[in-house]
Amino acid sequence: MIKKAIKHLIEIKAVPSGRFEISLLLVNDKKMIDLNRRYRGIDKTTDVLSFPQISEFKNFKQSAQLTSLGDIVINIHQAKRQAKEHAMTFYEELNWLLIHGILHLFGYDHEKNKYQAKKMRTLEIELLEDVF
């Protein structure tokens, strides 16, 4: 699924091509609160955190070597709660969060401005429809 999502992003030229690796960690509320506090200064849980290894994809050069994109951390307790709120299955919500995290690793940021938020949401929907 991750490979298919990244392949689709490359095909639509939303990210540069190359060989990528992603680390995925599934955690509970307690661990996510700890990570959110430690890395964002926010003392509450969240659904997904992304820790990119590449800061500027605009200048990224394609490489035959494996490139670590970074880490995605998903809170499975929050995903279960949100699945109910969004009228989705747990796995649909998990896939949404994974796509969201991957886009963050590729430099997309919905918190910058409304344009970026809309662009990221559009890509999330497109990927979810196309990949799954």
Side-chain angles (χ1 to χ4, degrees):
M1 191 285 298
I2 293 173
K3 283 175 82 172
K4 192 172 180 183
I6 292 173
K7 183 179 178 191
H8 183 75
L9 283 167
I10 291 167
E11 288 170 357
I12 63 173
K13 302 201 180 341
V15 299
S17 61
R19 292 183 59 221
F20 302 109
E21 174 182 81
I22 293 172
S23 171
L24 176 63
L25 179 63
L26 302 175
V27 300
N28 60 21
D29 278 328
K30 183 178 179 186
K31 183 64 176 175
M32 189 60 96
I33 290 168
D34 178 52
L35 292 170
N36 212 18
R37 183 183 313 120
R38 183 181 306 163
Y39 294 103
R40 297 180 66 219
I42 299 172
D43 194 25
K44 65 178 186 175
T45 196
T46 190
D47 52 5
V48 61
L49 291 173
S50 297
F51 299 96
Q53 296 295 319
I54 298 172
S55 59
E56 276 294 322
F57 265 98
K58 293 175 189 172
N59 303 321
F60 181 76
K61 303 288 187 230
Q62 182 175 350
S63 171
Q65 294 181 344
L66 190 62
T67 302
S68 176
L69 288 180
D71 306 314
I72 298 172
V73 182
I74 296 177
N75 179 347
I76 58 171
H77 292 152
Q78 185 67 19
K80 286 179 184 177
R81 289 188 293 268
Q82 286 178 187
K84 289 178 185 175
E85 292 171 18
H86 299 151
M88 295 178 154
T89 69
F90 170 71
Y91 293 105
E92 288 170 333
E93 182 68 23
L94 202 58
N95 288 330
W96 187 288
L97 294 175
L98 185 55
I99 293 293
H100 186 87
I102 289 170
L103 289 174
H104 274 304
L105 293 182
F106 277 114
Y108 290 87
D109 188 354
H110 56 89
E111 294 179 354
K112 280 185 180 178
N113 56 51
K114 288 181 182 180
Y115 171 76
Q116 291 296 323
K118 184 176 180 184
K119 185 175 181 179
M120 189 170 172
R121 178 61 63 160
T122 300
L123 273 172
E124 286 172 348
I125 292 167
E126 182 177 341
L127 283 167
L128 285 164
E129 288 174 352
D130 199 53
V131 173
F132 299 105

